[in-house]
Amino acid sequence: MAIKTRFFIISDTHGQIFDIKEEQRADVVIHCGDLTDESQIEEFRTTIHLLRQLPAPLKLVISGNHDLTLEEPTFKKKISEASQPIEPDLVEKDFGSFGEPRRLYEEAKDAGITYIPRRRQLRVRFTEWRPLASLCESLHTFVRRWGFSIPAWRR
């Protein structure tokens, strides 16, 4: 018996909303990065709102190069590298507190939204969805090698 699985794959939404059509109904949504344009907290909230609206039980999210505040160590490093000191209140106003974007995705799990952190592989186990596990692992491996430019010695 063949099992049909519909995928809706998006990327580069950059914190924008788009109209959702009935034909976009899927079993799995995969957002392949650039959830935001400037990694601002409001852009993450908008993207989560968009993901909640998409008619799919499983929504997988991979960050892109625009989404640096999702990875707290990367964000802290960027702040420390600024040519002039940055007021913490200003950072928090635009980007949220350290770890806040990640917490927003944790809180969205009830809507089937799963954030896949950088340098981690997704392992999906469905007895009837073996092709899904292979696709997700292949996709994340591809993104890890290209989109995040992780050196081979760190894989």
Side-chain angles (χ1 to χ4, degrees):
M1 174 173 90
I3 297 173
K4 294 182 181 181
T5 303
R6 291 184 68 178
F7 292 90
F8 181 50
I9 300 174
I10 57 176
S11 71
D12 299 277
T13 55
H14 296 283
Q16 301 296 309
I17 293 289
F18 56 85
D19 291 331
I20 299 164
K21 298 174 178 55
E22 180 59 31
E23 58 268 16
Q24 292 166 326
R25 177 171 302 282
D27 299 299
V28 180
V29 170
I30 303 173
H31 194 305
C32 298
D34 287 353
L35 312 160
T36 68
D37 190 39
E38 296 180 350
S39 210
Q40 294 186 354
I41 195 69
E42 285 306 314
E43 293 175 313
F44 284 112
R45 288 188 178 113
T46 301
T47 299
I48 289 170
H49 176 75
L50 168 70
L51 291 167
R52 284 183 179 277
Q53 304 308 308
L54 291 171
L58 178 61
K59 299 148 191 172
L60 305 174
V61 177
I62 302 167
S63 62
N65 63 313
H66 286 254
D67 310 315
L68 67 102
T69 58
L70 270 171
E71 300 297 330
E72 192 173 330
T74 304
F75 183 35
K76 286 181 176 180
K77 184 174 187 254
K78 288 289 184 190
I79 296 290
S80 72
E81 292 172 348
S83 60
Q84 296 181 12
I86 301 173
E87 291 294 322
D89 291 345
L90 292 176
V91 172
E92 189 168 334
K93 179 182 174 227
D94 287 341
F95 302 101
S97 60
F98 291 119
E100 186 175 355
R102 192 74 154 287
R103 285 191 296 277
L104 291 175
Y105 282 91
E106 288 296 317
E107 294 166 2
K109 281 187 174 186
D110 65 317
I113 299 170
T114 300
Y115 170 64
I116 305 165
R118 288 173 52 174
R119 300 179 181 95
R120 295 222 174 97
Q121 285 189 349
L122 171 68
R123 299 213 182 267
V124 181
R125 289 190 182 183
F126 296 104
T127 55
E128 299 173 2
W129 288 14
R130 289 188 94 44
L132 173 62
S134 298
L135 172 70
C136 290
E137 285 187 24
S138 297
L139 176 66
H140 203 274
T141 299
F142 170 76
V143 171
R144 282 180 40 189
R145 288 189 183 145
W146 180 77
F148 298 121
S149 303
I150 297 172
W153 60 271
R154 296 212 44 199
R155 285 189 215 129

